[in-house]
Amino acid sequence: MLKTLLITVLIVAICIALLSVKILFKKNGRFPNTHVSGSKAMRQRGIGCVQSQDREAQVANPHAIPERKNLTEEAND
């Protein structure tokens, strides 16, 4: 049991070390931007992420016609 756990921890440590080689040894090494908006090809196609689309949809339209809150109250007046 202990031997299996140690081997597993060693394998995970080696994988993490190999994945971080570019970040650790490259000058100004950074994690790659894997977000949809970080891809030039996606931006050229007009594809955005859900968060950006939601943010754009929440913006109030200045050309919208204001809606009436309660039509029955206005009908009684």
Side-chain angles (χ1 to χ4, degrees):
M1 171 77 176
L2 183 61
K3 184 177 179 180
T4 305
L5 182 65
L6 290 175
I7 291 172
T8 304
V9 170
L10 180 66
I11 290 172
V12 170
I14 291 170
C15 290
I16 290 173
L18 290 175
L19 288 171
S20 65
V21 166
K22 182 178 177 183
I23 297 166
L24 293 175
F25 295 116
K26 185 178 177 186
K27 187 176 181 180
N28 281 339
R30 296 182 182 176
F31 286 104
N33 186 1
T34 58
H35 200 263
V36 174
S37 63
S39 172
K40 184 178 179 182
M42 296 293 240
R43 281 182 292 187
Q44 288 175 345
R45 292 184 178 116
I47 300 172
C49 69
V50 174
Q51 293 172 343
S52 299
Q53 291 175 352
D54 186 47
R55 190 177 318 115
E56 291 171 1
Q58 298 299 324
V59 174
N61 184 356
H63 304 292
I65 298 172
E67 296 182 21
R68 297 181 181 169
K69 291 185 178 181
N70 195 345
L71 294 176
T72 55
E73 287 180 6
E74 291 181 8
N76 293 334
D77 289 339

